Amino acid sequence: MKGTGLFTSRSLDSENRLISLTLPNLCFLFWFSHASIFSWQKIQGNKTSSLKLEPPFFASFCSPPRIKDEPDDDGFYASPKEDSKPLKRPREDDDFKTFFEEKGNIVACSDRFLLILQDSKAKKAKSKDKKVPEADKRKKPKKEEEQKWKWWEEERYPEGIKWKFLEHKGPVFAPPYEPLPENVKFYYDGKVMKLSTKAEEVATFFAKMLDHEYTTKEIFRKNFFKDWRKEMTSEEKSTITNLSKCDFTHMSQYFKAQSEARKQMSKEEKQKIKEENERLLKEYGYCVMDNHKERIANFKIEPPGLFRGRGNHPKMGMLKRRIMPEDIIINCSKDSKIPPPPPGHKWKEVRHDNKVTWLVSWTENIQGSIKYIMLNPSSRIKGEKDWQKYETARRLKKCVDKIRNQYREDWKSKEMKVRQRAVALYFIDKLALRAGNEKEEGETADTVGCCSLRVEHIKLHPELDGQEYVVEFDFLGKDSIRYYNKVPVEKRVFKNLQLFMENKQPEDDLFDRLNTSILNKHLQDLMEGLTAKVFRTYNASITLQQQLKELTNPDDNIPAKILSYNRANRAVAILCNHQRAPPKTFEKSMMNLQSKIDAKKEQLADARRELKSAKADAKVRRDEKSKKTVESKKKAVQRIEEQLMKLEVQATDREENKQIALGTSKLNYLDPRISVAWCKKWGIPIEKIYNKTQREKFAWAIDMAEEDYEF
DNA sequence: GCGGGTACTTAGAAACCGCGCT
DNA sequence: AGCGCGGTTTCTAAGTACCCGC
């Protein structure tokens, strides 16, 4: 990997799917600089693969480099929460309110809604002309003002109030069931059987999943069959008694043919579908919240189907029933145009609660939990919250040393409860574990977080591979993703763990005197707004910032710098254990890339040969023309070298990424202002780091962060 | 403290789509 | 023009957190 100066070796063993990477030496000379090998395995489903990373940059987050003393407020934007004095422009909703009062009735308001939906410019003329002072108007760009609304420059609502006006069109329901054509047969025990519409619908859910591993799982089949039978007529129920005798293959083939046909559709037909979707989005995909048109994240109601829990879920295969208008609670302003239920139906309830952000809710039948329709991440209401999250994490930065000292003290406490709390917090901080709420047994897959760790999830090694006091973690976390890690800990922690495990069974709680509520209460005392998850945000963001500092080589070209960025991002993903199944086409795409590289290498060799002969030629002829030839050949070689390097960088990046998902941390844990500042500092176009959606979500950060931003 | 309920964030997989290649 | 690939978008499950009444 010449050129990048970062990468020392890479090897791929396709046999056992193990990658060993020697990452650049990012070690910190601090607590964990001796840390061991970090490895994990992914065992969701029956996939098993493992990834090893050595040496230990993953642990480095615990020791942020001493950043020169922070200008206490300089560079800090007023946090959305603590900031009480109005920063910039006042909210505009009074503008709207006035308009609204002038019209004085509901129709006026929904007129406005329609106007906004149809034409934001027209709306502009109507509402703004009356109130907005000249100066203000000139300041704003004339077009697409609605999209470029800088909510982050406006005053925020007092705590608790989420909006003052909300109008929307309600949800889009799943399309009704279309019975199968007569010629598509279902067989039971080898014989054709015509199913009732209800039973048939549920059967199609199963048929559509026939190729999926789910349908081979005992629990899935059992749950499905039980719920399916509930939908059958009594005759069907008495005939169909054994799922193994059911033959869905014809149905399955039919659906495959259907989706094939869909792919083969003509351009016009595809265009028509596209337009229909756009129409739906236009009509139902937006709402008006406080004077602004905002995108809704999920305006379509989840269609019925079979529940696909992750990991070993006891409810997999159960029937997710169809949601009807009668299940739906609508939330909107009293004075808005209330969305009408579909003809012949009623809403369950219409309420006007501006202390919450959701527009629509219903109760789902598998777990009995509530589902919501809410706004897009680009909306003010989500963006403000996101911004606030990072501000809380930055406040933690200021007191994290103190908190760390505190919990280290607490390891010695004479109170068991305090010791457990302190050790758990140490894990949350050092390993970025999740809090670990209790879960109802038998209702969900058996997964744990920090506070819910059980004795069986850790092993203590007084000595392992030449290191002292090693704790071996092995448990399933969120989404049944395996967390596997061997971590050297301080002696005191180790001794405490031994104590916590004394006289316990493997299935007993490790921290029997602790839960997330106790932990969070304690954290609240240490810093306002502090909860367990803030540590994840803080450690992720500080790691990114630090890794970017370490890895970015000023002399690198743009692709190499982006590789560095991705590596910094990767360090965070590893810290947070964000794994993915290796893409199905991984090996193949890697081979393709390799052959491209080989081709490029040959091309380079050719170009070099040509250059050489051109040089020789020039030496003999000593004329202008041959000199020029040499120059152009030189250029060609350089160009090809650059292309080759780009490809090699790409290969490296992809390979290092095989089992690591960068998206989650990028979207949820990394203060976007760090990335924006990095881009500005090194002249990297922001588009190289964030795609369109991400830029929309992080518009606030892109607008406000300068090159010198410090998390 | 604790059990139930609610609101909201975080998560990986699957579906989709557009673009470059043949 | 059809095809495959990779990035993007959609989907919805699975977490965290906190409230309330006892």
Side-chain angles (χ1 to χ4, degrees), chain A residues 473-492:
Chain A
F473 291 83
D474 190 354
F475 61 89
L476 298 183
K478 183 177 181 181
D479 294 324
S480 293
I481 298 289
R482 186 179 182 188
Y483 184 91
Y484 183 78
N485 199 1
K486 290 175 192 159
V487 197
V489 300
E490 303 201 22
K491 184 175 176 183
R492 262 217 173 84

mmCIF file with all atom_site columns, all heavy atoms in Angstrom, chain A residues 473-492:
data_model
loop_
_atom_site.group_PDB
_atom_site.id
_atom_site.type_symbol
_atom_site.label_atom_id
_atom_site.label_alt_id
_atom_site.label_comp_id
_atom_site.label_asym_id
_atom_site.label_entity_id
_atom_site.label_seq_id
_atom_site.pdbx_PDB_ins_code
_atom_site.Cartn_x
_atom_site.Cartn_y
_atom_site.Cartn_z
_atom_site.occupancy
_atom_site.B_iso_or_equiv
_atom_site.pdbx_formal_charge
_atom_site.auth_seq_id
_atom_site.auth_comp_id
_atom_site.auth_asym_id
_atom_site.auth_atom_id
_atom_site.pdbx_PDB_model_num
ATOM 1   N N   . PHE A 1 473 ? -15.529 -11.558 27.706 1.00 0.00 ? 473 PHE A N   1
ATOM 2   C CA  . PHE A 1 473 ? -16.975 -11.327 27.543 1.00 0.00 ? 473 PHE A CA  1
ATOM 3   C C   . PHE A 1 473 ? -17.481 -12.160 26.381 1.00 0.00 ? 473 PHE A C   1
ATOM 4   O O   . PHE A 1 473 ? -16.839 -12.219 25.332 1.00 0.00 ? 473 PHE A O   1
ATOM 5   C CB  . PHE A 1 473 ? -17.252 -9.852  27.207 1.00 0.00 ? 473 PHE A CB  1
ATOM 6   C CG  . PHE A 1 473 ? -16.973 -8.901  28.325 1.00 0.00 ? 473 PHE A CG  1
ATOM 7   C CD1 . PHE A 1 473 ? -15.688 -8.442  28.556 1.00 0.00 ? 473 PHE A CD1 1
ATOM 8   C CD2 . PHE A 1 473 ? -18.006 -8.455  29.138 1.00 0.00 ? 473 PHE A CD2 1
ATOM 9   C CE1 . PHE A 1 473 ? -15.429 -7.547  29.592 1.00 0.00 ? 473 PHE A CE1 1
ATOM 10  C CE2 . PHE A 1 473 ? -17.751 -7.555  30.168 1.00 0.00 ? 473 PHE A CE2 1
ATOM 11  C CZ  . PHE A 1 473 ? -16.452 -7.103  30.396 1.00 0.00 ? 473 PHE A CZ  1
ATOM 12  N N   . ASP A 1 474 ? -18.627 -12.726 26.563 1.00 0.00 ? 474 ASP A N   1
ATOM 13  C CA  . ASP A 1 474 ? -19.258 -13.450 25.466 1.00 0.00 ? 474 ASP A CA  1
ATOM 14  C C   . ASP A 1 474 ? -20.765 -13.454 25.704 1.00 0.00 ? 474 ASP A C   1
ATOM 15  O O   . ASP A 1 474 ? -21.264 -14.224 26.525 1.00 0.00 ? 474 ASP A O   1
ATOM 16  C CB  . ASP A 1 474 ? -18.712 -14.886 25.387 1.00 0.00 ? 474 ASP A CB  1
ATOM 17  C CG  . ASP A 1 474 ? -19.174 -15.586 24.118 1.00 0.00 ? 474 ASP A CG  1
ATOM 18  O OD1 . ASP A 1 474 ? -19.991 -15.010 23.368 1.00 0.00 ? 474 ASP A OD1 1
ATOM 19  O OD2 . ASP A 1 474 ? -18.708 -16.721 23.874 1.00 0.00 ? 474 ASP A OD2 1
ATOM 20  N N   . PHE A 1 475 ? -21.456 -12.577 25.010 1.00 0.00 ? 475 PHE A N   1
ATOM 21  C CA  . PHE A 1 475 ? -22.910 -12.512 25.192 1.00 0.00 ? 475 PHE A CA  1
ATOM 22  C C   . PHE A 1 475 ? -23.568 -11.969 23.936 1.00 0.00 ? 475 PHE A C   1
ATOM 23  O O   . PHE A 1 475 ? -22.895 -11.429 23.061 1.00 0.00 ? 475 PHE A O   1
ATOM 24  C CB  . PHE A 1 475 ? -23.266 -11.627 26.393 1.00 0.00 ? 475 PHE A CB  1
ATOM 25  C CG  . PHE A 1 475 ? -22.823 -10.195 26.283 1.00 0.00 ? 475 PHE A CG  1
ATOM 26  C CD1 . PHE A 1 475 ? -23.651 -9.235  25.697 1.00 0.00 ? 475 PHE A CD1 1
ATOM 27  C CD2 . PHE A 1 475 ? -21.580 -9.793  26.756 1.00 0.00 ? 475 PHE A CD2 1
ATOM 28  C CE1 . PHE A 1 475 ? -23.248 -7.910  25.594 1.00 0.00 ? 475 PHE A CE1 1
ATOM 29  C CE2 . PHE A 1 475 ? -21.156 -8.470  26.648 1.00 0.00 ? 475 PHE A CE2 1
ATOM 30  C CZ  . PHE A 1 475 ? -21.995 -7.526  26.068 1.00 0.00 ? 475 PHE A CZ  1
ATOM 31  N N   . LEU A 1 476 ? -24.869 -12.124 23.858 1.00 0.00 ? 476 LEU A N   1
ATOM 32  C CA  . LEU A 1 476 ? -25.607 -11.551 22.742 1.00 0.00 ? 476 LEU A CA  1
ATOM 33  C C   . LEU A 1 476 ? -26.199 -10.222 23.185 1.00 0.00 ? 476 LEU A C   1
ATOM 34  O O   . LEU A 1 476 ? -26.882 -10.143 24.195 1.00 0.00 ? 476 LEU A O   1
ATOM 35  C CB  . LEU A 1 476 ? -26.715 -12.504 22.286 1.00 0.00 ? 476 LEU A CB  1
ATOM 36  C CG  . LEU A 1 476 ? -26.265 -13.867 21.769 1.00 0.00 ? 476 LEU A CG  1
ATOM 37  C CD1 . LEU A 1 476 ? -27.464 -14.684 21.282 1.00 0.00 ? 476 LEU A CD1 1
ATOM 38  C CD2 . LEU A 1 476 ? -25.222 -13.738 20.665 1.00 0.00 ? 476 LEU A CD2 1
ATOM 39  N N   . GLY A 1 477 ? -25.918 -9.189  22.410 1.00 0.00 ? 477 GLY A N   1
ATOM 40  C CA  . GLY A 1 477 ? -26.453 -7.858  22.709 1.00 0.00 ? 477 GLY A CA  1
ATOM 41  C C   . GLY A 1 477 ? -27.637 -7.541  21.818 1.00 0.00 ? 477 GLY A C   1
ATOM 42  O O   . GLY A 1 477 ? -28.280 -8.441  21.271 1.00 0.00 ? 477 GLY A O   1
ATOM 43  N N   . LYS A 1 478 ? -27.921 -6.262  21.679 1.00 0.00 ? 478 LYS A N   1
ATOM 44  C CA  . LYS A 1 478 ? -29.043 -5.821  20.858 1.00 0.00 ? 478 LYS A CA  1
ATOM 45  C C   . LYS A 1 478 ? -29.033 -6.505  19.488 1.00 0.00 ? 478 LYS A C   1
ATOM 46  O O   . LYS A 1 478 ? -27.977 -6.648  18.882 1.00 0.00 ? 478 LYS A O   1
ATOM 47  C CB  . LYS A 1 478 ? -28.961 -4.304  20.666 1.00 0.00 ? 478 LYS A CB  1
ATOM 48  C CG  . LYS A 1 478 ? -30.117 -3.721  19.894 1.00 0.00 ? 478 LYS A CG  1
ATOM 49  C CD  . LYS A 1 478 ? -29.992 -2.215  19.802 1.00 0.00 ? 478 LYS A CD  1
ATOM 50  C CE  . LYS A 1 478 ? -31.180 -1.641  19.036 1.00 0.00 ? 478 LYS A CE  1
ATOM 51  N NZ  . LYS A 1 478 ? -31.106 -0.190  18.901 1.00 0.00 ? 478 LYS A NZ  1
ATOM 52  N N   . ASP A 1 479 ? -30.205 -6.878  19.015 1.00 0.00 ? 479 ASP A N   1
ATOM 53  C CA  . ASP A 1 479 ? -30.355 -7.571  17.742 1.00 0.00 ? 479 ASP A CA  1
ATOM 54  C C   . ASP A 1 479 ? -29.638 -8.917  17.711 1.00 0.00 ? 479 ASP A C   1
ATOM 55  O O   . ASP A 1 479 ? -29.319 -9.439  16.646 1.00 0.00 ? 479 ASP A O   1
ATOM 56  C CB  . ASP A 1 479 ? -29.851 -6.716  16.565 1.00 0.00 ? 479 ASP A CB  1
ATOM 57  C CG  . ASP A 1 479 ? -30.700 -5.477  16.347 1.00 0.00 ? 479 ASP A CG  1
ATOM 58  O OD1 . ASP A 1 479 ? -31.919 -5.568  16.537 1.00 0.00 ? 479 ASP A OD1 1
ATOM 59  O OD2 . ASP A 1 479 ? -30.145 -4.426  16.026 1.00 0.00 ? 479 ASP A OD2 1
ATOM 60  N N   . SER A 1 480 ? -29.351 -9.445  18.890 1.00 0.00 ? 480 SER A N   1
ATOM 61  C CA  . SER A 1 480 ? -28.659 -10.737 19.006 1.00 0.00 ? 480 SER A CA  1
ATOM 62  C C   . SER A 1 480 ? -27.301 -10.740 18.311 1.00 0.00 ? 480 SER A C   1
ATOM 63  O O   . SER A 1 480 ? -26.858 -11.760 17.792 1.00 0.00 ? 480 SER A O   1
ATOM 64  C CB  . SER A 1 480 ? -29.527 -11.874 18.452 1.00 0.00 ? 480 SER A CB  1
ATOM 65  O OG  . SER A 1 480 ? -30.656 -12.044 19.265 1.00 0.00 ? 480 SER A OG  1
ATOM 66  N N   . ILE A 1 481 ? -26.678 -9.597  18.298 1.00 0.00 ? 481 ILE A N   1
ATOM 67  C CA  . ILE A 1 481 ? -25.316 -9.518  17.778 1.00 0.00 ? 481 ILE A CA  1
ATOM 68  C C   . ILE A 1 481 ? -24.376 -9.912  18.907 1.00 0.00 ? 481 ILE A C   1
ATOM 69  O O   . ILE A 1 481 ? -24.491 -9.429  20.027 1.00 0.00 ? 481 ILE A O   1
ATOM 70  C CB  . ILE A 1 481 ? -24.994 -8.088  17.297 1.00 0.00 ? 481 ILE A CB  1
ATOM 71  C CG1 . ILE A 1 481 ? -25.915 -7.673  16.146 1.00 0.00 ? 481 ILE A CG1 1
ATOM 72  C CG2 . ILE A 1 481 ? -23.534 -7.964  16.911 1.00 0.00 ? 481 ILE A CG2 1
ATOM 73  C CD1 . ILE A 1 481 ? -25.665 -8.368  14.846 1.00 0.00 ? 481 ILE A CD1 1
ATOM 74  N N   . ARG A 1 482 ? -23.449 -10.811 18.574 1.00 0.00 ? 482 ARG A N   1
ATOM 75  C CA  . ARG A 1 482 ? -22.569 -11.310 19.614 1.00 0.00 ? 482 ARG A CA  1
ATOM 76  C C   . ARG A 1 482 ? -21.504 -10.282 19.981 1.00 0.00 ? 482 ARG A C   1
ATOM 77  O O   . ARG A 1 482 ? -20.918 -9.635  19.099 1.00 0.00 ? 482 ARG A O   1
ATOM 78  C CB  . ARG A 1 482 ? -21.873 -12.580 19.119 1.00 0.00 ? 482 ARG A CB  1
ATOM 79  C CG  . ARG A 1 482 ? -21.054 -13.250 20.184 1.00 0.00 ? 482 ARG A CG  1
ATOM 80  C CD  . ARG A 1 482 ? -20.428 -14.499 19.626 1.00 0.00 ? 482 ARG A CD  1
ATOM 81  N NE  . ARG A 1 482 ? -19.666 -15.216 20.641 1.00 0.00 ? 482 ARG A NE  1
ATOM 82  C CZ  . ARG A 1 482 ? -18.905 -16.263 20.356 1.00 0.00 ? 482 ARG A CZ  1
ATOM 83  N NH1 . ARG A 1 482 ? -18.814 -16.693 19.113 1.00 0.00 ? 482 ARG A NH1 1
ATOM 84  N NH2 . ARG A 1 482 ? -18.237 -16.865 21.312 1.00 0.00 ? 482 ARG A NH2 1
ATOM 85  N N   . TYR A 1 483 ? -21.299 -10.166 21.246 1.00 0.00 ? 483 TYR A N   1
ATOM 86  C CA  . TYR A 1 483 ? -20.177 -9.355  21.727 1.00 0.00 ? 483 TYR A CA  1
ATOM 87  C C   . TYR A 1 483 ? -19.164 -10.315 22.312 1.00 0.00 ? 483 TYR A C   1
ATOM 88  O O   . TYR A 1 483 ? -19.450 -11.031 23.267 1.00 0.00 ? 483 TYR A O   1
ATOM 89  C CB  . TYR A 1 483 ? -20.638 -8.369  22.799 1.00 0.00 ? 483 TYR A CB  1
ATOM 90  C CG  . TYR A 1 483 ? -19.530 -7.447  23.264 1.00 0.00 ? 483 TYR A CG  1
ATOM 91  C CD1 . TYR A 1 483 ? -19.305 -6.215  22.654 1.00 0.00 ? 483 TYR A CD1 1
ATOM 92  C CD2 . TYR A 1 483 ? -18.690 -7.827  24.305 1.00 0.00 ? 483 TYR A CD2 1
ATOM 93  C CE1 . TYR A 1 483 ? -18.276 -5.387  23.062 1.00 0.00 ? 483 TYR A CE1 1
ATOM 94  C CE2 . TYR A 1 483 ? -17.652 -6.994  24.718 1.00 0.00 ? 483 TYR A CE2 1
ATOM 95  C CZ  . TYR A 1 483 ? -17.450 -5.780  24.094 1.00 0.00 ? 483 TYR A CZ  1
ATOM 96  O OH  . TYR A 1 483 ? -16.431 -4.955  24.498 1.00 0.00 ? 483 TYR A OH  1
ATOM 97  N N   . TYR A 1 484 ? -18.001 -10.341 21.712 1.00 0.00 ? 484 TYR A N   1
ATOM 98  C CA  . TYR A 1 484 ? -16.950 -11.205 22.234 1.00 0.00 ? 484 TYR A CA  1
ATOM 99  C C   . TYR A 1 484 ? -15.690 -10.378 22.370 1.00 0.00 ? 484 TYR A C   1
ATOM 100 O O   . TYR A 1 484 ? -15.231 -9.761  21.412 1.00 0.00 ? 484 TYR A O   1
ATOM 101 C CB  . TYR A 1 484 ? -16.705 -12.399 21.305 1.00 0.00 ? 484 TYR A CB  1
ATOM 102 C CG  . TYR A 1 484 ? -15.672 -13.336 21.865 1.00 0.00 ? 484 TYR A CG  1
ATOM 103 C CD1 . TYR A 1 484 ? -16.009 -14.242 22.875 1.00 0.00 ? 484 TYR A CD1 1
ATOM 104 C CD2 . TYR A 1 484 ? -14.351 -13.276 21.445 1.00 0.00 ? 484 TYR A CD2 1
ATOM 105 C CE1 . TYR A 1 484 ? -15.054 -15.071 23.440 1.00 0.00 ? 484 TYR A CE1 1
ATOM 106 C CE2 . TYR A 1 484 ? -13.386 -14.104 22.005 1.00 0.00 ? 484 TYR A CE2 1
ATOM 107 C CZ  . TYR A 1 484 ? -13.752 -14.995 23.004 1.00 0.00 ? 484 TYR A CZ  1
ATOM 108 O OH  . TYR A 1 484 ? -12.806 -15.805 23.580 1.00 0.00 ? 484 TYR A OH  1
ATOM 109 N N   . ASN A 1 485 ? -15.128 -10.371 23.546 1.00 0.00 ? 485 ASN A N   1
ATOM 110 C CA  . ASN A 1 485 ? -13.966 -9.525  23.778 1.00 0.00 ? 485 ASN A CA  1
ATOM 111 C C   . ASN A 1 485 ? -13.195 -10.005 24.998 1.00 0.00 ? 485 ASN A C   1
ATOM 112 O O   . ASN A 1 485 ? -13.799 -10.417 25.979 1.00 0.00 ? 485 ASN A O   1
ATOM 113 C CB  . ASN A 1 485 ? -14.442 -8.082  23.999 1.00 0.00 ? 485 ASN A CB  1
ATOM 114 C CG  . ASN A 1 485 ? -13.349 -7.060  23.806 1.00 0.00 ? 485 ASN A CG  1
ATOM 115 O OD1 . ASN A 1 485 ? -12.212 -7.411  23.485 1.00 0.00 ? 485 ASN A OD1 1
ATOM 116 N ND2 . ASN A 1 485 ? -13.686 -5.794  24.004 1.00 0.00 ? 485 ASN A ND2 1
ATOM 117 N N   . LYS A 1 486 ? -11.891 -9.971  24.871 1.00 0.00 ? 486 LYS A N   1
ATOM 118 C CA  . LYS A 1 486 ? -11.037 -10.278 26.029 1.00 0.00 ? 486 LYS A CA  1
ATOM 119 C C   . LYS A 1 486 ? -10.354 -8.990  26.457 1.00 0.00 ? 486 LYS A C   1
ATOM 120 O O   . LYS A 1 486 ? -9.614  -8.400  25.670 1.00 0.00 ? 486 LYS A O   1
ATOM 121 C CB  . LYS A 1 486 ? -9.981  -11.308 25.649 1.00 0.00 ? 486 LYS A CB  1
ATOM 122 C CG  . LYS A 1 486 ? -10.528 -12.691 25.388 1.00 0.00 ? 486 LYS A CG  1
ATOM 123 C CD  . LYS A 1 486 ? -9.397  -13.584 24.900 1.00 0.00 ? 486 LYS A CD  1
ATOM 124 C CE  . LYS A 1 486 ? -9.929  -14.885 24.342 1.00 0.00 ? 486 LYS A CE  1
ATOM 125 N NZ  . LYS A 1 486 ? -8.956  -15.513 23.441 1.00 0.00 ? 486 LYS A NZ  1
ATOM 126 N N   . VAL A 1 487 ? -10.625 -8.589  27.662 1.00 0.00 ? 487 VAL A N   1
ATOM 127 C CA  . VAL A 1 487 ? -10.156 -7.285  28.093 1.00 0.00 ? 487 VAL A CA  1
ATOM 128 C C   . VAL A 1 487 ? -9.343  -7.371  29.384 1.00 0.00 ? 487 VAL A C   1
ATOM 129 O O   . VAL A 1 487 ? -9.851  -7.856  30.390 1.00 0.00 ? 487 VAL A O   1
ATOM 130 C CB  . VAL A 1 487 ? -11.348 -6.358  28.404 1.00 0.00 ? 487 VAL A CB  1
ATOM 131 C CG1 . VAL A 1 487 ? -10.895 -4.923  28.437 1.00 0.00 ? 487 VAL A CG1 1
ATOM 132 C CG2 . VAL A 1 487 ? -12.458 -6.548  27.407 1.00 0.00 ? 487 VAL A CG2 1
ATOM 133 N N   . PRO A 1 488 ? -8.130  -6.890  29.376 1.00 0.00 ? 488 PRO A N   1
ATOM 134 C CA  . PRO A 1 488 ? -7.398  -6.791  30.636 1.00 0.00 ? 488 PRO A CA  1
ATOM 135 C C   . PRO A 1 488 ? -7.997  -5.644  31.458 1.00 0.00 ? 488 PRO A C   1
ATOM 136 O O   . PRO A 1 488 ? -8.214  -4.567  30.913 1.00 0.00 ? 488 PRO A O   1
ATOM 137 C CB  . PRO A 1 488 ? -5.975  -6.436  30.213 1.00 0.00 ? 488 PRO A CB  1
ATOM 138 C CG  . PRO A 1 488 ? -5.962  -6.430  28.731 1.00 0.00 ? 488 PRO A CG  1
ATOM 139 C CD  . PRO A 1 488 ? -7.358  -6.379  28.249 1.00 0.00 ? 488 PRO A CD  1
ATOM 140 N N   . VAL A 1 489 ? -8.294  -5.910  32.703 1.00 0.00 ? 489 VAL A N   1
ATOM 141 C CA  . VAL A 1 489 ? -8.873  -4.865  33.547 1.00 0.00 ? 489 VAL A CA  1
ATOM 142 C C   . VAL A 1 489 ? -7.971  -4.629  34.749 1.00 0.00 ? 489 VAL A C   1
ATOM 143 O O   . VAL A 1 489 ? -7.034  -5.389  34.996 1.00 0.00 ? 489 VAL A O   1
ATOM 144 C CB  . VAL A 1 489 ? -10.288 -5.248  34.046 1.00 0.00 ? 489 VAL A CB  1
ATOM 145 C CG1 . VAL A 1 489 ? -11.231 -5.459  32.876 1.00 0.00 ? 489 VAL A CG1 1
ATOM 146 C CG2 . VAL A 1 489 ? -10.241 -6.468  34.954 1.00 0.00 ? 489 VAL A CG2 1
ATOM 147 N N   . GLU A 1 490 ? -8.281  -3.609  35.485 1.00 0.00 ? 490 GLU A N   1
ATOM 148 C CA  . GLU A 1 490 ? -7.483  -3.342  36.669 1.00 0.00 ? 490 GLU A CA  1
ATOM 149 C C   . GLU A 1 490 ? -7.756  -4.395  37.732 1.00 0.00 ? 490 GLU A C   1
ATOM 150 O O   . GLU A 1 490 ? -8.841  -4.946  37.818 1.00 0.00 ? 490 GLU A O   1
ATOM 151 C CB  . GLU A 1 490 ? -7.836  -1.955  37.201 1.00 0.00 ? 490 GLU A CB  1
ATOM 152 C CG  . GLU A 1 490 ? -7.618  -0.937  36.118 1.00 0.00 ? 490 GLU A CG  1
ATOM 153 C CD  . GLU A 1 490 ? -7.453  0.451   36.653 1.00 0.00 ? 490 GLU A CD  1
ATOM 154 O OE1 . GLU A 1 490 ? -7.099  0.595   37.842 1.00 0.00 ? 490 GLU A OE1 1
ATOM 155 O OE2 . GLU A 1 490 ? -7.681  1.388   35.870 1.00 0.00 ? 490 GLU A OE2 1
ATOM 156 N N   . LYS A 1 491 ? -6.758  -4.606  38.535 1.00 0.00 ? 491 LYS A N   1
ATOM 157 C CA  . LYS A 1 491 ? -6.836  -5.648  39.558 1.00 0.00 ? 491 LYS A CA  1
ATOM 158 C C   . LYS A 1 491 ? -8.084  -5.500  40.423 1.00 0.00 ? 491 LYS A C   1
ATOM 159 O O   . LYS A 1 491 ? -8.780  -6.455  40.706 1.00 0.00 ? 491 LYS A O   1
ATOM 160 C CB  . LYS A 1 491 ? -5.589  -5.584  40.422 1.00 0.00 ? 491 LYS A CB  1
ATOM 161 C CG  . LYS A 1 491 ? -5.514  -6.679  41.470 1.00 0.00 ? 491 LYS A CG  1
ATOM 162 C CD  . LYS A 1 491 ? -4.205  -6.630  42.222 1.00 0.00 ? 491 LYS A CD  1
ATOM 163 C CE  . LYS A 1 491 ? -4.200  -7.682  43.330 1.00 0.00 ? 491 LYS A CE  1
ATOM 164 N NZ  . LYS A 1 491 ? -2.983  -7.619  44.136 1.00 0.00 ? 491 LYS A NZ  1
ATOM 165 N N   . ARG A 1 492 ? -8.366  -4.261  40.795 1.00 0.00 ? 492 ARG A N   1
ATOM 166 C CA  . ARG A 1 492 ? -9.526  -4.009  41.669 1.00 0.00 ? 492 ARG A CA  1
ATOM 167 C C   . ARG A 1 492 ? -10.833 -4.442  41.034 1.00 0.00 ? 492 ARG A C   1
ATOM 168 O O   . ARG A 1 492 ? -11.705 -4.997  41.683 1.00 0.00 ? 492 ARG A O   1
ATOM 169 C CB  . ARG A 1 492 ? -9.646  -2.519  41.963 1.00 0.00 ? 492 ARG A CB  1
ATOM 170 C CG  . ARG A 1 492 ? -9.060  -2.166  43.240 1.00 0.00 ? 492 ARG A CG  1
ATOM 171 C CD  . ARG A 1 492 ? -9.714  -1.133  44.072 1.00 0.00 ? 492 ARG A CD  1
ATOM 172 N NE  . ARG A 1 492 ? -8.990  -1.151  45.330 1.00 0.00 ? 492 ARG A NE  1
ATOM 173 C CZ  . ARG A 1 492 ? -7.851  -0.476  45.521 1.00 0.00 ? 492 ARG A CZ  1
ATOM 174 N NH1 . ARG A 1 492 ? -7.356  0.293   44.583 1.00 0.00 ? 492 ARG A NH1 1
ATOM 175 N NH2 . ARG A 1 492 ? -7.230  -0.576  46.670 1.00 0.00 ? 492 ARG A NH2 1
#
